[in-house]
Amino acid sequence: MLINYNPPTDPYLTILYQDEDLLIVNKPSELLTVPGKDPKHADCLISRVNRVFPTAKIVHRLDMATSGILCLAMNKAAHRHVSMQFQERETAKRYIARIYGQLEAQTGSVDLPLICDWPNRPKQMVDHENGKPSLTHFKILEREPHATRVELTPITGRSHQLRVHMLSLGHPILGDRLYAHKEALAAAPRLQLHAQMLSLKHPTTEQILTFEAAPDF
């Protein structure tokens, strides 16, 4: 439930790459990927893109609060090709996050099945009986006095996967309105999660393309 939706307008749209098949953009935090049901939630990434590129279609999504690289397809054939890559886990994604407290292990993995927490949706939760397999690798990039900057590599693409997996380690992502405790929420003005890298096969040339965008935190 979005109470006060106030999407950023500067920059309005950041395009990283564009050709006849692909459009790669850098989504700001607090902008919906697709419109919500409420007319007040009509302003979103896809509506902004479609003003310039009417045929562009979303291939995958980022949470509203998450910033970073998003891939759109410019035609049906490209959409089918790239969607299949995401489905078959042939793409590579890397995120940067700042999490609460000091993570002990320098590297590691979180392998915990996730399912929607229906009474509290859109929240997700760990469920060993009914959850879908979910795997995240992590690596520490920098230790701060009260936080840890980490590189997160999701192998699966479950909803809120990185947010719940970090919470399961006892280190929620800073600024996370859904999962962070009071101190972690107050420690940052926005969710400190950014899709920093996306690598995929070009739908026409089959060439591996890698796109990167640094976080603003």
Side-chain angles (χ1 to χ4, degrees), residues 90-110:
E90 292 169 354
T91 61
K93 292 175 277 184
R94 189 168 64 231
Y95 289 71
I96 304 296
R98 290 174 67 232
I99 59 176
Y100 184 80
Q102 296 294 333
L103 188 60
E104 282 184 29
Q106 189 66 30
T107 61
S109 301
V110 183

Side-chain angles (χ1 to χ4, degrees), residues 30-45:
E30 301 306 324
L31 178 68
L32 287 166
T33 301
V34 296
K37 289 176 183 172
D38 190 318
K40 291 175 188 167
H41 306 151
D43 181 18
C44 60
L45 184 94

Side-chain angles (χ1 to χ4, degrees), residues 5-80:
Y5 182 48
N6 189 25
T9 54
D10 185 23
Y12 186 73
L13 183 63
T14 304
I15 295 171
L16 302 176
Y17 175 88
Q18 187 253 321
D19 65 20
E20 290 181 357
D21 296 306
L22 293 177
L23 180 69
I24 308 296
V25 299
N26 187 6
K27 186 187 87 68
S29 175
E30 301 306 324
L31 178 68
L32 287 166
T33 301
V34 296
K37 289 176 183 172
D38 190 318
K40 291 175 188 167
H41 306 151
D43 181 18
C44 60
L45 184 94
I46 189 60
S47 68
R48 293 182 182 187
V49 165
N50 284 157
R51 286 181 181 178
V52 192
F53 305 104
T55 64
K57 283 189 167 56
I58 292 286
V59 176
H60 63 123
R61 300 183 188 188
L62 290 176
D63 295 342
M64 183 182 80
T66 304
S67 58
I69 295 177
L70 255 181
C71 173
L72 299 94
M74 299 291 271
N75 54 66
K76 282 182 181 174
H79 190 272
R80 202 161 43 242

